């Protein structure tokens, strides 16, 4: 590069470094040690532009700017880039830059060291977490093993406890049986001792929730004969019907001597003869509220007696709506409605009437049912008074849909030929109906009806037994049928299992499910059996009523299952406790009144009985 300097000392136009002359060159060259540029001295001329020493021409400027400067044209002044300014500042302040770099390196080292320590700490924390998790897993495993051991120990302990309890029960049961055997052996020679042993046997059985031994119950019945209310019924002819009131305070009977008799259970009140019929009384019924007694008669009338009146015999309300003899009556659950059925006259339909007993002025007929051409064997009202079931000797059964409160016309929900149907049972909620019918060949057909908008009768069982007595336990889903020669069968309709109940030899007069699941049965010779059906093994307790002479005519059991009433062909009536627990309490009370000579062999009575 050739140029012309104004003086022998100048600065490089690019980097501003002082130019030095090259002494070894034959030409007049000036070298720049900053950027390496060489300038050859030419003829002397005026500078085209005066470059301020503080603003030299930079090497990183565009080539066209350098060409403009060499050609003598004005150079466009531009602000040097930030990198160049920083580089220049660094050259001018190299000490501060060096300290800054050293400090930065120190900080970086400290940061790296801290980061390394953090990584190590994180690794240690992760290791500790893994160790803690492993410890927890091991602890959980040990807890599970310990829990299994504890459960196993508890199972074994419960098994041993059950075995011990069963052993205790077996021992108590064995003791109860031995006491019953001893009581039976001593019944004639030592009656007081026999009574004590029998009472203790029953008490042990009750304390262990087992069934009392039949021998002990028989001793209680024999030794406490005076607890039976053996008396003359007051009837001069055959007793046709007997019934207990729902509260257990009264019982009534009706017979062929044209009258009914009302008796009190506990008080000394004398029997009250109810004489308002001029023909035989076919049926007696107490209302569910135990306030009224209804008597049906062959004189085509029904009498309602207010049993709580001071003069009961003078308070009959006579219902005269039938033209033939009344055979069946039934109350509704609320004691407001009464369903009655009369025998049909030849060639005319049977009369079945629904009475409103709470009507103003006098009870009257609110609806009339008909279309049976034969004797009506059953007429039953549902508990909610919405259904009525009737059956007749013509072989037809009818289910009636009623609405007695509104007075709407009744409708026949079903009419079918089901044979002779004497036993009809509605469920407490009126949703089901069970009927027991006798077929043409003497077989027993049990049907269960579902009541609703659609009627669905289904056959539960068909048995080779004459249905002389029946009862239904809707809570357990069971039907009991009693027939000839002591045959009793219990049908469970959910499992279709038929269980025979043995113990009777004569014709069954009555079967009845008692509270608690037991079944009471009475045959024609006065044998009463109480059969427990709840356990795996059936235990039947049979006792003979020694006062009954001859054959039984009618029988009834109170609603609570405590009392039984049996009549015979001599117009005698016996009222007796049926629950062995009550007899056991009477026995202890009697033993307590004895002045001496009684020794407790097995277990002493409790403090309450001392």
């Amino acid at each position: 590069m050739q140029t012309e300097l104004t003086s022998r000392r100048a600065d490089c136009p690019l980097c501003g470094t002082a130019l030095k002359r090259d002494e070894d060159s034959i030409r007049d060259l000036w070298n720049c040690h900053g950027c390496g540029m060489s300038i050859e001295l030419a003829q002397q001329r005026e500078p085209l532009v005066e470059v301020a020493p503080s603003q030299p021409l930079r090497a990183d400027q565009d080539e066209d700017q350098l060409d403009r400067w060499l050609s003598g044209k004005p150079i466009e002044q531009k602000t040097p880039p930030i990198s160049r300014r920083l580089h220049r500042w660094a050259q001018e302040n190299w000490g501060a830059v060096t300290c800054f770099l050293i400090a930065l390196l120190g900080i970086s080292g400290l940061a790296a060291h801290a980061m390394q320590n953090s990584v190590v700490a994180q690794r240690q924390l992760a290791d500790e977490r893994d160790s803690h998790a492993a410890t927890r897993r091991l602890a959980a495993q040990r807890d599970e093993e310990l829990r299994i051991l504890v459960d196993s120990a508890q199972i074994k302990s419960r098994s041993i406890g059950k075995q011990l309890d069963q052993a205790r029960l077996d021992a108590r049961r064995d003791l109860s049986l031995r006491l019953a055997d001893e009581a039976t052996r001593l019944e004639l020679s030592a009656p007081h001792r026999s009574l004590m042993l029998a009472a203790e046997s029953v008490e042990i059985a009750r304390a262990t929730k087992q069934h009392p031994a039949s021998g002990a119950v028989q001793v209680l019945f024999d030794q406490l004969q005076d607890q039976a209310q053996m008396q003359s019924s007051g009837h001069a002819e055959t007793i046709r019907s007997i019934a207990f009131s729902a509260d257990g305070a009264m019982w009534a009977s009706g017979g062929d001597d044209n009258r009914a008799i009302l008796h009190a259970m506990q008080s000394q009140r004398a029997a009250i003869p109810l004489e308002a019929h001029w023909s035989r009384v076919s049926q007696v019924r107490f209302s569910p509220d135990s306030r009224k007694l209804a008597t049906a008669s062959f004189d085509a009338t029904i009498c309602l007696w207010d049993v709580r009146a001071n003069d009961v015999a003078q308070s009959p309300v006579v219902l005269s709506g039938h033209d033939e003899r009344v055979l069946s009556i039934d109350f509704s659950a609320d004691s407001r409605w009464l369903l009655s059925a009369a025998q049909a006259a030849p060639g005319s339909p049977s009369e079945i009437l629904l009475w409103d007993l709470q009507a103003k002025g006098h009870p009257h007929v609110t609806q009339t049912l008909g279309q049976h051409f034969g004797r009506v064997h059953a007429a039953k009202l549902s508990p909610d008074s919405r259904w009525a079931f009737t059956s007749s000797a013509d072989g037809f059964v009818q289910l009636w849909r009623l609405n007695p409160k509104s007075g709407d016309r009744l409708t026949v929900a079903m009419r079918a030929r089901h044979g002779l149907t004497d036993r009809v049972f509605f469920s407490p909620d009126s949703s089901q109906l069970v009927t027991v019918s006798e077929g043409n060949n003497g077989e027993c057909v049990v049907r269960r009806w579902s009541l609703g908008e659609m009627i669905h009768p289904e056959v539960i069982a068909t048995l080779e037994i004459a249905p002389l007595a029946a009862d239904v336990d809707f809570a357990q889903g069971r039907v009991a049928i009693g027939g000839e020669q002591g045959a009793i069968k219990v049908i469970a309709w959910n499992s279709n299992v038929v269980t025979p109940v043995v113990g009777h030899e004569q014709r069954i007069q009555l079967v009845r499910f008692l509270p608690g699941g037991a079944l009471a049965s009475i045959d024609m010779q006065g044998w009463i059996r109480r059969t427990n059906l709840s356990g795996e093994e059936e235990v039947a307790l049979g006792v003979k009523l020694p006062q009954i002479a001859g054959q039984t005519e009618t029988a009834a059991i109170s609603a609570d299952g405590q009392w039984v009433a049996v009549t015979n062909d001599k117009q005698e009536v016996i009222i007796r406790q049926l629950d062995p627990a009550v007899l056991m309490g009477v026995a202890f009370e009697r033993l307590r009144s004895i002045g001496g000579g009684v020794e407790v062999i097995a277990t002493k009575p409790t403090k309450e009985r001392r």
Side-chain angles (χ1 to χ4, degrees):
M1 178 185 298
Q2 294 182 0
T3 184
E4 184 173 333
L5 300 177
T6 57
S7 66
R8 306 307 293 174
R9 179 177 176 84
D11 296 330
C12 177
L14 294 180
C15 63
T17 306
L19 298 177
K20 292 185 178 180
R21 188 174 182 283
D22 189 2
E23 299 295 341
D24 296 332
S25 177
I26 59 175
R27 293 180 296 175
D28 194 3
L29 292 176
W30 295 75
N31 299 325
C32 178
H33 296 286
C35 59
M37 179 181 290
S38 297
I39 301 175
E40 181 179 358
L41 187 59
Q43 59 182 355
Q44 197 80 6
R45 59 181 179 180
E46 294 293 330
L48 298 178
V49 62
E50 183 178 356
V51 180
S54 60
Q55 297 181 352
L57 186 63
R58 305 294 180 182
D60 55 355
Q61 292 180 341
D62 297 336
E63 294 183 358
D64 58 346
Q65 295 291 347
L66 184 59
D67 294 339
R68 289 173 63 87
W69 182 78
L70 295 176
S71 61
K73 296 181 179 180
I75 298 177
E76 297 180 359
Q77 299 294 327
K78 293 184 178 180
T79 305
I82 187 63
S83 59
R84 177 58 61 185
R85 286 185 289 170
L86 288 176
H87 181 267
R88 183 174 180 182
W89 179 85
Q91 286 180 345
E92 294 177 353
N93 302 278
W94 61 272
V97 173
T98 302
C99 294
F100 175 75
L101 292 177
I102 293 174
L104 184 60
L105 290 175
I107 294 173
S108 300
L110 293 175
H113 182 69
M115 185 177 295
Q116 183 178 4
N117 292 339
S118 176
V119 171
V120 172
Q122 289 181 356
R123 290 179 180 176
Q124 292 178 352
L125 180 60
D127 294 340
E128 291 179 357
R129 288 178 178 174
D130 294 340
S131 177
H132 182 62
T135 303
R136 284 193 303 176
R137 288 194 295 270
L138 181 60
Q141 183 178 359
R142 291 179 179 176
D143 290 343
E144 184 66 23
E145 295 175 355
L146 181 60
R147 190 180 299 108
I148 293 174
L149 293 176
V150 172
D151 292 343
S152 178
Q154 289 180 351
I155 292 173
K156 293 180 180 179
S157 176
R158 291 176 182 175
S159 177
I160 295 174
K162 290 181 180 179
Q163 293 177 2
L164 292 176
D165 293 340
Q166 186 62 38
R168 294 191 188 97
L169 289 176
D170 293 341
R172 301 286 286 178
R173 177 61 176 171
D174 182 67
L175 177 60
S176 177
L177 294 176
R178 288 191 285 112
L179 291 176
D181 294 340
E182 187 69 11
T184 304
R185 187 180 67 84
L186 300 175
E187 184 175 4
L188 297 179
S189 60
H192 289 168
R193 189 182 183 90
S194 174
L195 180 62
M196 179 198 64
L197 294 176
E200 286 290 344
S201 175
V202 175
E203 172 68 10
I204 293 173
R206 290 183 66 244
T208 55
K209 297 182 179 180
Q210 296 179 350
H211 304 304
S214 58
V217 178
Q218 184 65 63
V219 170
L220 291 178
F221 269 76
D222 293 342
Q223 295 295 329
L224 300 175
Q225 291 182 13
D226 55 344
Q227 293 298 309
Q229 302 176 11
M230 182 64 185
Q231 58 187 10
S232 175
S233 64
H235 291 279
E237 298 184 26
T238 303
I239 300 174
R240 294 294 178 180
S241 177
I242 189 169
F244 284 97
S245 63
D247 58 5
M250 296 168 289
W251 65 277
S253 57
D256 291 352
D257 56 355
N258 305 340
R259 64 177 180 170
I261 301 179
L262 180 65
H263 304 263
M265 290 290 296
Q266 301 293 345
S267 66
Q268 301 298 324
R269 182 179 179 182
I272 303 175
L274 306 176
E275 300 176 349
H277 298 286
W278 55 264
S279 184
R280 67 176 58 176
V281 176
S282 59
Q283 197 172 35
V284 293
R285 283 282 187 275
F286 281 96
S287 61
D289 59 6
S290 302
R291 299 180 64 90
K292 292 183 175 60
L293 174 67
T295 58
S297 175
F298 279 17
D299 62 3
T301 63
I302 302 171
C303 287
L304 295 177
W305 308 84
D306 186 359
V307 298
R308 297 188 179 183
N310 294 328
D311 192 357
V312 181
Q314 301 299 324
S315 63
V317 176
V318 181
L319 307 181
S320 302
H322 289 284
D323 296 329
E324 298 293 336
R325 47 189 180 178
V326 182
L327 301 178
S328 176
I329 51 178
D330 186 43
F331 280 96
S332 63
D334 58 0
S335 303
R336 176 177 179 179
W337 310 97
L338 180 70
L339 187 67
S340 61
Q343 186 175 3
S348 61
S350 296
E351 297 174 328
I352 305 171
L353 305 180
L354 183 63
W355 303 80
D356 185 358
L357 304 182
Q358 298 180 6
K360 294 182 178 180
H362 191 276
H364 65 269
V365 177
T366 181
Q367 291 185 1
T368 302
L369 288 71
Q371 300 181 0
H372 274 305
F373 291 88
R375 177 178 177 178
V376 176
H377 286 270
K380 192 75 173 179
L381 268 177
S382 65
D384 61 359
S385 305
R386 294 183 60 245
W387 302 93
F389 183 91
T390 59
S391 67
S392 173
D394 58 9
F396 282 91
V397 299
Q398 295 188 92
L399 184 65
W400 307 81
R401 185 181 283 109
L402 307 177
N403 194 353
K405 294 183 179 180
S406 64
D408 293 344
R409 183 178 179 82
L410 59 89
T411 58
V412 180
M414 176 170 286
R415 174 180 172 85
R417 179 178 290 277
H418 283 166
L420 182 59
T421 304
D422 285 339
R423 313 295 173 181
V424 182
F425 306 91
F426 280 97
S427 63
D429 59 355
S430 303
S431 64
Q432 297 183 73
L433 171 71
V434 173
T435 59
V436 180
S437 306
E438 182 178 354
N440 296 327
N441 299 324
E443 75 278 5
C444 174
V445 180
V446 182
R447 294 180 176 87
R448 183 161 64 102
W449 308 54
S450 298
L451 304 181
E453 294 299 327
M454 301 296 294
I455 310 300
H456 301 286
E458 60 174 336
V459 177
I460 297 176
T462 302
L463 307 174
E464 297 297 330
I465 181 176
L468 303 179
D471 196 21
V472 179
D473 182 4
F474 285 96
Q476 300 294 330
R478 298 182 298 190
V479 182
I481 308 295
E484 297 285 353
Q485 299 179 354
I488 299 177
K489 294 184 178 181
V490 178
I491 308 164
W493 63 64
N494 293 327
S495 58
N496 295 325
V497 175
V498 179
T499 303
V501 178
V502 298
H504 292 282
E505 296 180 357
Q506 298 296 322
R507 173 176 176 172
I508 301 300
Q509 186 78 12
L510 179 145
V511 291
R512 171 78 175 276
F513 284 104
L514 302 178
L519 178 68
S521 55
I522 304 175
D523 62 19
M524 293 293 294
Q525 287 190 344
W527 277 97
I528 303 175
R529 299 191 68 84
R530 180 187 176 98
T531 306
N532 295 279
L533 305 175
S534 57
E536 296 180 357
E537 297 182 359
E538 297 176 10
V539 180
L541 307 180
V543 294
K544 177 70 167 65
L545 295 178
Q547 296 91 341
I548 289 295
Q551 292 185 346
T552 61
E553 291 290 339
T554 58
I557 297 177
S558 62
D560 57 2
Q562 296 291 333
W563 298 91
V564 58
V566 180
T567 66
N568 61 3
D569 52 2
K570 296 183 179 181
Q571 294 82 49
E572 294 176 331
V573 178
I574 180 172
I575 305 294
R576 182 131 208 204
Q577 284 281 354
L578 186 59
D579 192 349
V582 177
L583 294 177
M584 181 266 300
V586 174
F588 274 122
E589 293 296 333
R590 178 165 299 182
L591 289 172
R592 187 179 62 177
S593 64
I594 297 176
V598 178
E599 179 184 357
V600 178
I601 301 298
T603 59
K604 295 182 179 180
T606 58
K607 294 181 179 180
E608 289 78 4
R609 292 202 169 99
R610 291 183 181 178

